[in-house]
Amino acid sequence: MAEETASRRPRKKGLHGWKAFLVVFVSGTAAAFIVMGVIVGVLRLFVSTITGGEEETPPNAGGGAVSDETGEPVADLEPGELDLCVKSVPTISGLSVERTDTDDDFVDTAQDGDGGRRTVSDNCQWLLNPDFNSIERWDFSFSYNAIIDGEGGDSPDDVASGDLREQRSGLEEGLEEVEVAEPADYSDESYHVYGSPGPGETAYRALVRTRGAVYEIQLTAKNNGEELVPRKAFEHEVDKIVSRLDIDLGLWIPEY
């Protein structure tokens, strides 16, 4: 009789042993994460309120001197500082290049002690690995001339604009076929040429002015077949260069 009564007695409900421990552990851990998330959210809201809701973004100038890191042009450019072939071109995001020249063409008239208007110039040669599916790396030539101060008559911008007009006719030199030769949309002022220097090759050249600096980009590629390498493939690489140099020249060239 006692055994029958015991068999009819209901079993205790709930979790016991390791199952109960697991539930308590998981619940406690989840609660801790929730509390931490709330604390972090409150702190972010507090910081955002104090700073006006803006996060600081460090200037992207490739290692150059930035005036108090405010994004404003430097007050004074140190001699030798505007070395785009060393500081800018090899550090451009997404641009894969290997330098092939001897790095001996850099000129800063401030280093030479020459009087008159200060200029900085250089010419460098590279091999470029394009994003375009190419059978070989492209030849990449880059040269520039920057007017650093506003001494002596016309503004640096006006002088550079005149230099661009004089140089643009030379972009077509050495091309057997010219598909495009017209103004472009790069930076403050620009001109570009697209065509073929000879059988099996395609060339793209851009002449660009940013403030008082004029620079030239020349890209030459082997054709994958009989067709020219698409112009868009060249423009894709040039866009990377121009976007970076807009920043660097905007910061490194002092206000006139």
Side-chain angles (χ1 to χ4, degrees):
M1 188 66 176
E3 293 179 357
E4 182 179 354
T5 301
S7 64
R8 293 179 180 177
R9 186 177 300 163
R11 296 182 180 180
K12 293 182 179 181
K13 298 181 179 180
L15 298 175
H16 304 280
W18 67 271
K19 292 183 179 179
F21 171 79
L22 183 60
V23 170
V24 172
F25 177 80
V26 172
S27 299
T29 303
F33 277 113
I34 293 172
V35 172
M36 183 61 68
V38 172
I39 293 174
V40 171
V42 171
L43 289 176
R44 286 181 177 175
L45 179 61
F46 176 76
V47 173
S48 178
T49 302
I50 295 299
T51 60
E54 296 181 357
E55 295 183 0
E56 294 184 359
T57 302
N60 179 19
V66 182
S67 179
D68 296 329
E69 295 189 353
T70 61
E72 297 296 328
V74 295
D76 185 40
L77 182 70
E78 293 293 327
E81 183 73 17
L82 192 66
D83 193 344
L84 300 181
C85 287
V86 170
K87 296 185 177 181
S88 294
V89 175
T91 61
I92 293 174
S93 177
L95 192 74
S96 176
V97 292
E98 176 188 349
R99 191 163 183 176
T100 58
D101 67 300
T102 56
D103 189 17
D104 56 3
D105 292 327
F106 178 79
V107 175
D108 185 342
T109 56
Q111 294 177 315
D112 301 331
D114 295 341
R117 176 169 274 168
R118 179 185 175 187
T119 61
V120 179
S121 61
D122 202 357
N123 179 20
C124 42
Q125 310 296 321
W126 310 79
L127 289 174
L128 183 148
N129 294 299
D131 290 336
F132 180 75
N133 184 21
S134 180
I135 57 177
E136 294 181 20
R137 291 187 289 179
W138 295 353
D139 291 326
F140 168 32
S141 174
F142 176 79
S143 60
Y144 68 96
N145 184 71
I147 302 170
I148 304 306
D149 57 54
E151 295 182 3
D154 296 335
S155 72
D157 287 13
D158 291 339
V159 175
S161 184
D163 290 344
L164 184 142
R165 289 192 297 270
E166 291 179 2
Q167 296 176 37
R168 69 183 188 182
S169 61
L171 287 181
E172 300 180 31
E173 292 182 1
L175 296 182
E176 292 185 0
E177 299 179 13
V178 176
E179 299 287 329
V180 174
E182 60 188 12
D185 296 327
Y186 302 121
S187 199
D188 295 330
E189 189 177 4
S190 58
Y191 196 83
H192 65 169
V193 170
Y194 168 72
S196 174
E201 291 187 324
T202 308
Y204 183 90
R205 301 169 181 176
L207 192 65
V208 184
R209 180 181 71 82
T210 301
R211 300 182 65 200
V214 174
Y215 59 90
E216 182 176 330
I217 299 167
Q218 293 194 10
L219 296 172
T220 305
K222 297 291 185 183
N223 300 345
N224 288 352
E226 296 183 0
E227 298 293 328
L228 297 180
V229 175
R231 178 160 59 114
K232 289 292 185 182
F234 293 106
E235 292 174 339
H236 173 69
E237 303 297 335
V238 173
D239 282 338
K240 301 176 189 176
I241 301 170
V242 174
S243 296
R244 171 61 178 275
L245 293 184
D246 275 351
I247 297 173
D248 288 3
L249 293 172
L251 293 175
W252 286 340
I253 297 180
E255 292 286 2
Y256 309 129

